[in-house]
Amino acid sequence: MAIFGPKKDESKIENPPKKKEVVDVASLKLDIEKQITKPIDEVSIVSLVNLFVKYAYVARASDVHLDPTPDKIRVRFRIDGMLHDIFDKIFITKSLHQEIISRIKVMSGLRTDEHFLPQDGRFKTDPDGVGAIDVRVSIMPTYYGENAVLRLLAETQTFTLEDLGFAPEELKKVERAIKKPYGMILANGPTGSGKSTTLYTILKKLNVPETSIITVEDPIEYSLEGITQVQADARVGLTFANGLRSILRQDPNVIMVGEIRDQETAGIAVNAALTGHLLLSTLHTNDAATTFPRLMDMGVPPFLIASTINIVMGQRLVRMICPDCKKKRDLSASELQSVREMIPGLKDKQPVFYIGEGCATCGKIGYKGRIGIREVIEVNDEIRELIMARANNQTIKDAAIKNGMKTMLQNGLALALEGKTSLEEVLRIIHE
């Protein structure tokens, strides 16, 4: 028999949740400047570290870099993928360096007496006005002392596949792939290209009570309710390969491996996908088509690659033009000719591109937020035959384009024509 306690009077909540304040980036910058220009014995290290994290959060920075130099501390914030030296005009004395590093170590549960080995940790903080922030910490000994990089872990709970910038035809390919009960789904690109966010968003779509999902990651970037997440740790022998072996004995339906980085992990991952598991992972390759020769280089037989991979996504993140300072950009004659060569369909049309001038909303940068550009290869019979024949990446890419794949450059230029990003930003990211 269920026993229910007395109904709580909701009008008398003992600890009401904090109300979020409207926090201004400019005022936070001023607060930091006031703190670091005080006499050393009056500086509050606790407040200063909290202000760095709070500023990063409000300014939409993904990372805070605290780098020691011979006579000062350099503080930079990575906003929309680019590092910005916000406090370059202010001298932050080196005398504060060790105290700042010690404070970060205390918050992260790291050893404060260790100064010659790298350390990794994590902490949560709850600055007034912004709510809880999850921060990952990396401390590294350098020539001028220990540096620290603080990564603010973005909230992905509200993301859906539709929010990630997939073109409609690409989205259909991904949805077909995740409906299959087995096979591999791979997200490829350099560090910071949004691969983890893409895979986490797919996992959330697959996360239903009837499905057992287990991941092995290094590090676990986001905690997902209802999913079993395992932290890889090479120091105790828990590598991706060993973790993956153990996961297979846990009766999973869906497995995510943080990264396929060696022959052993690649072999186990492919066999897991072959034996009735849907496996998600990442690879560091320049484009989607290079995935196949890369796996062959790792020693995976072509017939296994052809039999197991459902879909491969190559991706990058481009900055979006700030809507408050967006204006049309006139192309020179040479630029117009180059654009028409890249987009043959334009012919005699006059394309319109945009740029951000920089305003208070975007911090004078001209961009605000990022969006993904991708190329998605769905493995069909033609692609399988090319894999079996050990075709090179260009041959596979040409076949995928013939079957309707849009390259990252094409998708990026389409976003530029829509006014979501700039032509310069697309070319900067794609390097073509």
Side-chain angles (χ1 to χ4, degrees), residues 18-21 23 28 50 54 58 125-131:
K18 288 182 183 178
K19 288 182 72 175
K20 285 193 178 183
E21 306 165 12
V23 184
L28 275 176
N50 285 343
K54 188 173 181 178
V58 175
T125 184
D126 193 4
D128 292 335
V130 297

Side-chain angles (χ1 to χ4, degrees), residues 72-86:
K72 66 176 184 176
I73 308 168
R74 190 182 188 195
V75 182
R76 292 178 294 170
F77 296 82
R78 189 177 293 281
I79 302 170
D80 293 333
M82 301 285 284
L83 277 173
H84 297 274
D85 203 341
I86 308 291

Side-chain angles (χ1 to χ4, degrees), residues 193-394:
S193 59
K195 302 185 298 294
S196 295
T197 298
T198 299
L199 294 189
Y200 274 113
T201 305
I202 291 172
L203 286 182
K204 282 188 298 186
K205 193 172 181 70
L206 293 169
N207 189 13
V208 293
E210 299 79 24
T211 301
S212 170
I213 302 176
I214 306 179
T215 74
V216 55
E217 307 169 56
D218 183 23
I220 296 172
E221 294 197 28
Y222 313 110
S223 174
L224 298 177
E225 189 177 346
I227 292 176
T228 302
Q229 295 173 271
V230 178
Q231 170 70 56
D233 189 346
R235 290 172 299 182
V236 295
L238 184 52
T239 60
F240 281 138
N242 291 337
L244 187 48
R245 273 197 198 91
S246 299
I247 282 174
L248 291 172
R249 295 192 286 271
Q250 292 280 314
D251 188 31
N253 301 106
V254 178
I255 301 167
M256 185 181 93
V257 183
E259 182 188 344
I260 295 176
R261 58 175 68 153
D262 54 49
Q263 182 174 353
E264 189 179 14
T265 307
I268 301 167
V270 166
N271 279 299
L274 197 63
T275 54
H277 303 88
L278 186 62
L279 189 134
L280 286 66
S281 192
T282 68
L283 273 174
H284 286 277
T285 61
N286 288 328
D287 59 11
T290 309
T291 301
F292 308 104
R294 176 84 180 99
L295 287 172
M296 290 179 207
D297 287 344
M298 288 184 179
V300 181
F303 77 92
L304 285 180
I305 297 171
S307 304
T308 54
I309 295 181
N310 296 340
I311 199 168
V312 177
M313 299 170 282
Q315 64 182 70
R316 300 287 190 280
L317 292 175
V318 294
R319 294 179 294 172
M320 298 173 72
I321 298 172
C322 173
D324 291 354
C325 59
K326 177 177 169 182
K327 70 163 193 175
K328 287 184 181 179
R329 176 192 184 289
D330 295 324
L331 298 181
S332 67
S334 59
E335 286 176 327
L336 184 58
Q337 183 180 349
S338 297
V339 167
R340 284 177 173 157
E341 287 172 3
M342 289 187 287
I343 315 174
L346 287 178
K347 294 183 180 177
D348 298 326
K349 294 179 184 176
Q350 186 71 29
V352 178
F353 293 98
Y354 296 84
I355 197 166
E357 289 187 299
C359 63
T361 305
C362 59
K364 307 294 183 184
I365 297 170
Y367 296 94
K368 187 177 180 184
R370 288 190 291 175
I371 190 169
I373 54 173
R374 294 175 175 80
E375 54 187 28
V376 179
I377 297 180
E378 190 174 30
V379 178
N380 57 19
D381 290 341
E382 184 180 355
I383 300 292
R384 287 190 189 96
E385 286 178 12
L386 290 172
I387 295 168
M388 296 285 284
R390 292 183 177 267
N392 63 31
N393 60 312
Q394 190 58 52

Side-chain angles (χ1 to χ4, degrees), residues 157-174:
Q157 298 304 317
T158 57
F159 285 169
T160 64
L161 285 173
E162 290 76 13
D163 297 327
L164 298 183
F166 282 100
E169 50 288 0
E170 293 170 348
L171 188 58
K172 288 176 185 174
K173 292 178 184 176
V174 175

Side-chain angles (χ1 to χ4, degrees), residues 39-55:
I40 292 176
D41 56 347
E42 294 180 22
V43 176
S44 169
I45 299 298
V46 172
S47 298
L48 184 58
V49 173
N50 285 343
L51 281 169
F52 283 147
V53 175
K54 188 173 181 178
Y55 181 90

